[in-house]
Amino acid sequence: MGYLESFHADKSLIEDLILIPGAPGYEDRVRNYIYEIASKYGRVEKDAMGNLLLRLPGRGEGTILLAAHMDEIALVVTGIEDNGLLAFRKLGGIDDSILPARHVLVHGSQGPVPGVIGAEPPHLRMVRGEDRNRVKPWYELRIDIGADSKDEAIEMGVGVLDQVTFKKHISYLGNGRYISTRGLDDRAGCAALVELARLIGSGVVEPRPDVVIAWTVQEEIGLMGARALARRLQPDLFIAIDTTTCCHPSITGGLKLGNGPLLRALDNSYIAPPSLVKNLYKTVTSKGIPLQVASAGGGTDAGAFHVTGVPSIAVSAPTQYTHSLTEKMHLGDYENWVRALAAIVEAGVES
């Protein structure tokens, strides 16, 4: 693995993927971007669900399928009111407390339309005698695009079922050690698999089993893309490439940003075979790559394959502030994430 010691994160790749809008069910622009790169390294196909798959032959037996999801938590327009305000619903696990006072982009027929989710000032709540600390539920909120009427909103190209994404700002913290933004879940995973495809396609990494790399759809609303894949593919090993929320002593134990990627041994959707966890840990750490082992909350695409009997696990990068606008990841963990995946496909670990 010495040839990977010089591998460094391609920040432009990560940033490009983060800034492309891709709500659940609206992943086409993300998919098109990845397709342009992945098609240089092998045969790429899009299935009926919208998943993108790249097949890369190995030098031995068996198949490993690795998948990262392209979608992000987002909103969708459900109605345009007479006053020009937009009603919406959530797509994915969004805490209502992060919605007020947010800048958003409504992706309409004429391009992105800037909007804001208004926040009522405490001055007015006091006048009405309301609880100033009450969190308004999403269905009481509206998106303001500056239209004074329904007709004006329509003229601006906004319509029902347009996807709405949060306006994103990318910050590098700690003298560049950390990246913080909305969308690391899971565009960082998408980027990691693009990097793996590049390493395999260029001959730097030589996998033992056949490798199928998938970029899946609609993970945030119930692993829908992975479920579709699981109905027709039965790899010898499935690995979800996703972020893992850090850090809670009772759920994630000693998991810490900067200490390497992790084997997500169990979460709310699966429990990985203990022998698989041990074998993968040995495979990766024997190459001098730091690796953590942790449990997690929530779920990943691994849950979709786990229930079909395929040995499944998530290999993750620890991330703070998940499902917010300030998700935070250590770039060293990202780089070791790619190195760990390279070690796994080269070894062809058995479960």
Side-chain angles (χ1 to χ4, degrees):
M1 295 294 292
Y3 50 80
L4 282 178
E5 291 177 0
S6 61
F7 171 77
H8 294 291
D10 183 346
K11 293 181 182 178
S12 63
L13 171 64
I14 299 171
E15 290 176 1
D16 284 351
L17 282 166
I18 284 170
L19 294 175
I20 300 171
Y26 299 78
E27 299 92 347
D28 52 302
R29 297 182 209 179
V30 183
R31 182 172 52 243
N32 292 342
Y33 180 91
I34 294 172
Y35 177 88
E36 290 300 317
I37 302 174
S39 59
K40 299 174 184 177
Y41 305 115
R43 180 168 61 89
V44 180
E45 66 179 82
K46 184 185 83 168
D47 68 11
M49 190 73 182
N51 300 306
L52 194 68
L53 293 96
L54 169 65
R55 300 177 187 273
L56 298 166
R59 65 185 191 277
E61 298 181 349
T63 301
I64 293 180
L65 171 58
L66 306 97
H69 66 89
M70 297 182 286
D71 60 316
E72 60 185 297
I73 58 168
L75 313 170
V76 62
V77 176
T78 55
I80 306 175
E81 299 181 345
D82 290 341
N83 58 7
L85 296 178
L86 309 181
F88 64 89
R89 65 172 293 172
K90 300 187 292 185
L91 296 176
I94 302 172
D95 191 321
D96 289 352
S97 66
I98 75 166
L99 289 173
R102 297 302 179 188
H103 290 266
V104 297
L105 292 174
V106 183
H107 300 276
S109 61
Q110 299 174 24
V113 176
V116 295
I117 301 175
E120 189 174 33
H123 316 62
L124 302 183
R125 293 191 189 187
M126 288 180 67
V127 170
R128 292 202 303 265
E130 291 185 9
D131 179 2
R132 293 176 59 182
N133 297 316
R134 173 179 176 262
V135 175
K136 279 195 173 186
W138 62 269
Y139 49 81
E140 292 184 11
L141 302 173
R142 296 294 182 267
I143 297 171
D144 185 346
I145 58 171
D148 293 328
S149 67
K150 181 176 183 178
D151 288 342
E152 185 180 358
I154 293 172
E155 288 173 3
M156 294 169 70
V158 171
V160 172
L161 298 185
D162 285 343
Q163 67 164 318
V164 181
T165 57
F166 296 101
K167 195 169 184 180
K168 298 168 185 173
H169 175 77
I170 299 173
S171 296
Y172 289 96
L173 311 177
N175 293 321
R177 296 193 309 276
Y178 299 94
I179 181 173
S180 177
T181 185
R182 159 89 287 280
L184 290 172
D185 175 19
D186 188 28
R187 301 295 167 73
C190 290
L193 286 186
V194 169
E195 294 284 21
L196 182 64
R198 183 179 290 155
L199 291 168
I200 296 173
S202 61
V204 174
V205 171
E206 298 181 355
R208 177 170 293 175
D210 291 342
V211 171
V212 179
I213 296 177
W215 292 272
T216 61
V217 299
Q218 300 183 36
E219 188 268 358
E220 295 290 5
I221 60 168
L223 322 180
M224 297 305 180
R227 289 184 183 186
L229 280 182
R231 291 190 181 98
R232 64 186 186 91
L233 298 180
Q234 285 285 298
D236 296 290
L237 174 62
F238 177 82
I239 302 177
I241 311 304
D242 208 339
T243 61
T244 289
T245 301
C246 180
C247 306
H248 188 289
S250 297
I251 299 175
T252 59
L255 185 64
K256 184 178 179 181
L257 271 67
N259 284 2
L262 70 133
L263 299 177
R264 183 170 169 146
L266 65 128
D267 60 26
N268 296 349
S269 66
Y270 75 94
I271 299 175
S275 60
L276 174 62
V277 176
K278 292 177 182 178
N279 288 339
L280 289 176
Y281 185 82
K282 180 179 179 181
T283 295
V284 173
T285 57
S286 69
K287 302 296 184 182
I289 303 167
L291 187 66
Q292 305 180 76
V293 178
S295 70
T300 71
D301 279 341
F305 279 82
H306 175 73
V307 296
T308 69
V310 172
S312 303
I313 194 169
V315 179
S316 299
T319 307
Q320 283 183 298
Y321 320 130
T322 305
H323 281 205
S324 77
L325 276 68
T326 57
E327 293 174 343
K328 177 185 168 190
M329 179 181 291
H330 195 291
L331 287 172
D333 291 340
Y334 172 83
E335 291 168 350
N336 282 316
W337 199 11
V338 176
R339 296 182 182 115
L341 299 179
I344 290 169
V345 299
E346 282 201 328
V349 178
E350 297 180 358
S351 61

